Amino acid sequence: MRGRAAALALALLATGLPVAAQTVSGCAFEDRNGNGVREADEPSVPGVPVELFGTRDASGAYDQTIATGADGAFSFSPGNGCYLLLPGDPPGWRFSGARSDSFPEGTAGYSFPVGRPRFAKLDGGIASLKAGLLRFSSMGDSIAWNWNSCFYTSSFWYSKQIQARLQCVAPAASVTLDQAAVKGEHTDDLLVDDADDLNNVFRVVEAQPRYVAISMIGNDLLGVDPSGTPTQDQINRAVAEVLDSRQNLQEAISALVSEIPGADVALNSLYDNLAYDCYSGSSSTFHRQWLPIVDRILRDLAWGQARRVSINEVAAEFAHEDQAGSCFGFDGMICRDLFQTDNIHPNNNGYTILREKLWEADGGVSLGSKDALSRTSIAADFGFLRRVRRLLPTAWETSGGAAVTDPEAALDDGDGGAATAIALGIGTEELRLSGFPDWYDEDRIVRAIAGVRYRTAGTVQDDFYRMEASVTGQFRPPAGHAYTPTDWNYYTPIVGGGGPGQPPENPDYSQARVLARPNVATYREVSATLTKNPTLPSGASDYEWPPVHQDDLSSAAVRVVSAPVAGTAGNDLYRVELDAAWIDLYGWEAPRPPEAADLRIERLPDGTIEASFEALPGAARYNLYVGSLSTLLAGQYDHGSAAPAGPFCAAPVVDAGDGRLKIALAPAAQPSADSYWLVTGHVDDVESPAGARSDGTEIDRSQSVCR
Amino acid sequence: MGVGTWRGVALAALVGWPVATMSAAGPVEGTFLLVEQRYGNGDWNLASRDEPLRIEFRREGGVVAGRVWAGGDSSAASRWPAFANDAGLLPVEDVSVKEDASTGEVIARYRVRPSPTDDLVLEISESYRLVESGQALVGEMTVRFFVEGADRGGFALHRRFERER
């Protein structure tokens, strides 16, 4: 039904006929693959509050909130005007993000200057406008500045356009713009504590804007991006900059999110037009291979913040270049001035696209004459991902001489704020937390977020600390490692930027005074999307990004580690106080099968023991666990990896008749002491419960090791 | 942008031109084709193959004078230094052109106010010198951005021209 409505609207638009409906409609759905696009098998999410707030051309203010229906749909009929559309996150859910498919110019359905709509939302924007004040800070480099050598427009043109649109939404409010960006700067500059401009988190945090947009082109790569067929040394150097940029942006954005309560933050893709400039034939192996990775890094970086940050899929609107050699360039969007002093920045059409993408990322809706295409109906779908589980570490260890007090406190997120204190020095002091539960096999993980809640005591002077997560527990590659597109992602930065002198082989801003916000007086939550290396199946056009899997969790770790910069002994008398660390799993849950019922044990004359039980419908395999009776009588279980016999995973079963199956255990395989026995089965790779205690609570799932 | 405007600017610049002297690589004279243009230390060559840029230096009364054009039609050349967007030339102001007597390097400095509605002022310098063989011209174009007098960043283009004549 919705598909037909969308097709009708598109047809009317294409033929230039007026659309009388003047509607803002869409749906909320469970985005089970996290791509922002609703697929046929993705369920609706009813009951999501959706607010449309703005000003009608004909009759002034408009502010309505409705809940999505049973089919997830919502629809407003406000008339032409300018609005912000805001679906609330249902409790326990998180907006999955704007659609992330590629529809470049020339693709069917693409209409300059808007392209495929990629709606995100400002979570606090409407509230700020209602309060009468929205201060908007435009940070970044030449892309935020709106620079090009074609000079069609004034500086900060598209930010001023967004400012004007926000003002249109709420004419009575004051909407101001900080023109903070500085051309030519790297991501490091966002972390430099200086007073020359507003293009750093220190000054922006002081200014406390309600909306911060960071737009960057990728100057970090400017001096190191190899052309032609690069050497491994060139690749390693460039990848070091990519990873440094990720760390810098994680630090900058997480500081903005945590230090400006309630403010909305948006990140314009750090796109690199050289990557997609394929008309000229200058596209290089490095750009083709690595720029899609950079784009994905940025999407993950935005999504994993403690408060989700909007990401604008600018590159997708400009072009698409894949790993199979296909290329849809966007040469027509680049400023080619007469004397060729540019050849790198968007022209006015390119910046118009940026304007539209930023507006869509705000949840901005213009109907009628105020819309770039004079549309009078807009459809915007919003996908959501549910947090299915928060995993806490169960183990800790120190290394490098780290002094730690109350280490168990960091393993407990319900201890009222009790913290593990870590005194870090100028060496390799480290506290590592691991042992994340890996047995919740019904969880279908789409994304995972690693987070910490911490503060510092004392003052950090010139030697800092870092927090990071790793899926494998190996936080850095071995020395001399050769980075490849499918082997580079060894850690996820959470806290602690690249810092002065990073990366060591190509330091940016080595003379800068401070490149981080190290002193944190009160508890601060910071998080980041936990990611793995991409894969590239043979012949595939695009990378695949495998989500974190249960199997990864047993090796995953979060660590707090010294990050000495100056190496000055004795003057950094501070402690990092870690209240908790966690991994949040977002996705959905497959149904768990019931217990294997009516277990009966029988010893045969030849000493064989048969365990028979009722077959589980749909079970593909069964497991037999054997534990020590003495352990059970002590109130514990030991049928897992420390079992007195077995465990017998995927044990051979035979038909016992009457819908029953049996597993036979020969004398040699049986335990030598009194024991308890359990049988489980797997349905769609989800293991059935091992049973319940007498009080009804489920038997320790960590013991079910046949995964 | 009319012809008269840049002539007026160039006239002011002529006052500051020194008499040319020889450098080790010889005076900057001849016609050169832009073959390399890179941002900063970047590895990417951004020189256009479709509309190649040419710059020509010659002696006029003992001082160096230049002109620049894109594409093959030299009749469309503009007096150097010049700045343009893709719609045409922009006025250049406060032009100074010098020739370093010891190195033979030619240096132009000028300002551009790209938008009448904006406070942005570009401070630009271009410097070129011959390589030892005399067969190429190398140099740098730096563009700094000023808003209400405050430096708001910039960029540098590294250029290499090869001699045509």
Side-chain angles (χ1 to χ4, degrees):
Chain A
M1 183 64 184
R2 286 203 62 265
R4 282 200 294 275
L8 176 61
L10 184 63
L12 292 169
L13 180 65
T15 55
L17 296 172
V19 179
Q22 296 176 333
T23 58
V24 178
S25 62
C27 73
F29 64 97
E30 187 174 349
D31 193 4
R32 290 196 164 186
N33 60 6
N35 69 351
V37 182
R38 186 174 192 182
E39 273 94 21
D41 60 344
E42 293 181 323
S44 304
V45 181
V48 175
V50 184
E51 181 175 12
L52 187 70
F53 170 78
T55 301
R56 296 171 288 190
D57 290 348
S59 51
Y62 183 91
D63 187 7
Q64 285 195 10
T65 300
I66 58 176
T68 56
D71 59 354
F74 66 87
S75 182
F76 300 93
S77 299
N80 289 339
C82 33
Y83 310 94
L84 287 179
L85 180 61
L86 174 64
D89 293 351
W93 297 67
R94 174 181 275 229
F95 177 44
S96 65
R99 61 186 301 153
S100 58
D101 51 344
S102 292
F103 283 91
E105 183 187 18
T107 299
Y110 183 96
S111 301
F112 176 80
V114 176
R116 182 75 66 175
R118 299 178 188 279
F119 282 96
K121 58 184 184 138
L122 294 181
D123 290 311
I126 292 175
S128 296
L129 290 172
K130 286 181 178 177
L133 180 64
L134 194 151
R135 184 171 181 174
F136 167 22
S137 181
S138 179
M139 302 176 73
D141 60 16
S142 55
I143 294 301
W145 180 283
N146 223 110
W147 159 258
N148 62 32
S149 289
C150 294
F151 298 116
Y152 289 112
T153 55
S154 64
S155 53
F156 290 89
W157 172 79
Y158 72 80
S159 294
K160 291 171 183 170
Q161 296 261 305
I162 296 297
Q163 177 191 21
R165 290 183 181 190
L166 291 168
Q167 191 72 75
C168 176
V169 168
S174 170
V175 182
T176 62
L177 172 66
D178 294 331
Q179 299 178 24
V182 175
K183 287 179 292 297
E185 295 290 14
H186 297 195
T187 55
D188 307 76
D189 184 54
L190 303 174
L191 300 169
V192 175
D193 185 3
D194 63 19
D196 296 337
D197 54 60
L198 290 172
N199 200 38
N200 63 81
V201 296
F202 297 86
R203 300 294 83 76
V204 173
V205 167
E206 286 175 358
Q208 292 282 301
R210 308 311 301 163
Y211 177 31
V212 181
I214 302 174
S215 310
M216 306 198 83
I217 192 171
N219 290 315
D220 299 64
L221 276 173
L222 196 57
V224 296
D225 53 342
S227 58
T229 303
T231 65
Q232 188 62 53
D233 283 348
Q234 288 175 313
I235 292 171
N236 282 359
R237 191 169 178 228
V239 173
E241 283 292 343
V242 170
L243 298 177
D244 184 51
S245 300
R246 172 169 74 162
Q247 201 154 273
N248 291 334
L249 285 169
Q250 168 65 22
E251 179 70 358
I253 293 173
S254 66
L256 295 173
V257 166
S258 62
E259 303 294 332
I260 313 179
D264 293 298
V265 180
L267 178 64
N268 275 333
S269 284
L270 183 145
Y271 84 96
D272 186 324
N273 48 28
L274 291 173
Y276 303 115
D277 186 12
C278 46
Y279 287 164
S280 67
S282 61
S283 183
S284 80
T285 300
F286 180 83
H287 282 257
R288 180 181 290 272
Q289 290 181 337
W290 286 92
L291 266 295
I293 292 172
V294 170
D295 285 339
R296 177 66 187 223
I297 284 174
L298 294 172
R299 285 199 291 273
D300 288 338
L301 194 151
W303 196 82
Q305 299 300 316
R307 276 203 322 279
R308 189 195 52 80
V309 164
S310 289
I311 180 76
N312 303 304
E313 302 291 341
V314 176
E317 302 305 323
F318 277 157
H320 180 72
E321 183 178 45
D322 67 29
Q323 306 309 309
S326 178
C327 183
F328 300 95
F330 66 112
D331 198 64
M333 299 292 173
I334 294 298
C335 170
R336 305 288 191 199
D337 62 295
L338 187 63
F339 292 152
Q340 302 163 30
T341 55
D342 199 320
N343 285 355
I344 193 169
H345 291 95
N347 59 20
N348 194 46
N349 288 344
Y351 278 121
T352 302
I353 289 180
L354 281 169
R355 178 195 66 188
E356 295 304 318
K357 295 303 106 182
L358 194 57
W359 184 232
E360 289 165 1
D362 295 347
V365 171
S366 304
L367 298 181
S369 61
K370 294 183 174 64
D371 179 65
L373 294 177
S374 300
R375 291 169 294 187
T376 54
S377 288
I378 296 285
D381 293 344
F382 293 92
F384 291 90
L385 278 170
R386 189 164 64 87
R387 193 179 84 179
V388 295
R389 203 170 305 279
R390 168 164 287 190
L391 302 176
L392 300 176
T394 59
W396 61 271
E397 61 180 313
T398 61
S399 60
V404 176
T405 58
D406 198 7
E408 300 288 333
L411 310 180
D412 188 349
D413 196 19
D415 56 8
T420 298
I422 310 110
L424 299 171
I426 57 174
T428 58
E429 296 88 347
E430 175 182 327
L431 169 69
R432 182 176 296 217
L433 305 172
S434 58
F436 291 96
D438 62 347
W439 50 81
Y440 296 106
D441 54 3
E442 70 272 33
D443 294 350
R444 296 295 179 258
I445 306 170
V446 179
R447 293 195 181 119
I449 290 178
V452 293
R453 186 182 308 109
Y454 80 104
R455 65 188 174 198
T456 58
T459 301
V460 189
Q461 299 288 348
D462 55 10
D463 289 303
F464 303 147
Y465 55 89
R466 231 177 27 239
M467 300 188 204
E468 48 199 29
S470 168
V471 171
T472 63
Q474 181 186 353
F475 284 84
R476 292 294 184 278
H481 178 68
Y483 285 118
T484 70
T486 55
D487 187 0
W488 54 270
N489 195 11
Y490 282 77
Y491 72 102
T492 297
I494 303 174
V495 173
Q502 297 295 324
E505 57 273 36
N506 189 33
D508 300 317
Y509 302 86
S510 58
Q511 303 304 312
R513 188 164 63 87
V514 175
L515 282 165
R517 287 184 65 81
N519 293 308
V520 180
T522 57
Y523 276 132
R524 174 192 194 212
E525 274 194 22
V526 185
S527 62
T529 307
L530 184 62
T531 57
K532 299 161 64 174
N533 277 308
T535 60
L536 185 63
S538 178
S541 298
D542 296 302
Y543 297 111
E544 294 178 0
W545 296 85
V548 171
H549 190 271
Q550 275 81 10
D551 293 344
D552 300 314
L553 295 169
S554 60
S555 59
V558 174
R559 70 175 184 174
V560 185
V561 62
S562 297
V565 176
T568 312
N571 71 336
D572 289 298
L573 302 175
Y574 70 93
R575 298 188 313 275
V576 173
E577 297 182 347
L578 184 64
D579 178 29
W582 57 83
I583 296 176
D584 283 341
L585 307 181
Y586 283 83
W588 50 283
E589 288 176 293
R592 292 185 72 194
E595 294 176 39
D598 196 17
L599 177 64
R600 301 174 195 166
I601 306 295
E602 183 179 3
R603 186 185 297 274
L604 303 183
D606 65 356
T608 298
I609 296 178
E610 284 185 346
S612 68
F613 51 93
E614 291 182 5
L616 280 173
R621 54 192 165 100
Y622 291 91
N623 317 298
L624 173 62
Y625 294 110
V626 178
S628 303
L629 190 59
S630 58
T631 305
L632 180 66
L633 293 174
Q636 302 295 322
Y637 295 92
D638 65 355
H639 56 274
S641 54
F648 303 95
C649 301
V653 295
V654 295
D655 189 348
D658 295 331
R660 295 177 65 81
L661 300 171
K662 59 184 179 183
I663 299 172
L665 209 58
Q670 296 169 11
S672 58
D674 293 343
S675 58
Y676 67 92
W677 292 41
L678 299 167
V679 170
T680 64
H682 291 265
V683 178
D684 293 334
D685 287 328
V686 182
E687 189 173 5
S688 65
R693 295 171 180 269
S694 56
D695 63 1
T697 59
E698 186 176 349
I699 287 176
D700 181 3
R701 292 187 68 182
S702 70
Q703 300 283 322
S704 296
V705 294
C706 293
R707 294 165 200 146
Chain B
M1 174 66 195
V3 171
T5 305
W6 66 257
R7 278 187 177 160
V9 172
L11 180 63
L14 283 170
V15 175
W17 283 10
V19 175
T21 57
M22 294 287 287
S23 69
V28 176
E29 284 189 84
T31 303
F32 301 87
L33 176 72
L34 181 67
V35 295
E36 286 183 27
Q37 177 161 260
R38 303 175 193 279
Y39 269 94
N41 298 319
D43 201 24
W44 280 89
N45 183 6
L46 295 165
S48 170
R49 303 172 193 176
D50 298 332
E51 293 287 315
L53 183 70
R54 288 178 171 83
I55 193 164
E56 182 178 85
F57 291 105
R58 63 185 185 282
R59 299 279 142 184
E60 290 182 349
V63 296
V64 69
R67 59 181 193 144
V68 59
W69 68 98
D73 183 8
S74 63
S75 68
S78 302
R79 184 146 193 158
W80 179 83
F83 200 86
N85 61 21
D86 61 349
L89 295 169
L90 294 170
V92 294
E93 304 172 0
D94 303 328
V95 179
S96 73
V97 177
K98 297 179 183 176
E99 191 171 13
D100 188 300
S102 60
T103 64
E105 186 175 47
V106 178
I107 305 164
R109 291 191 173 85
Y110 54 100
R111 289 191 175 90
V112 174
R113 298 178 190 275
S115 171
T117 61
D118 212 24
D119 294 328
L120 177 64
V121 176
L122 309 182
E123 292 196 3
I124 303 170
S125 72
E126 295 182 55
S127 61
Y128 303 108
R129 61 181 173 79
L130 284 175
V131 299
E132 192 69 28
S133 68
Q135 293 304 303
L137 194 66
V138 295
E140 184 178 87
M141 177 178 189
T142 61
V143 182
R144 301 293 309 176
F145 306 81
F146 290 84
V147 175
E148 297 176 345
D151 188 338
R152 300 300 299 274
F155 63 85
L157 287 171
H158 295 280
R159 290 173 151 180
R160 179 181 178 88
F161 296 82
E162 288 187 352
R163 183 183 291 279
E164 288 193 319
R165 289 190 293 274

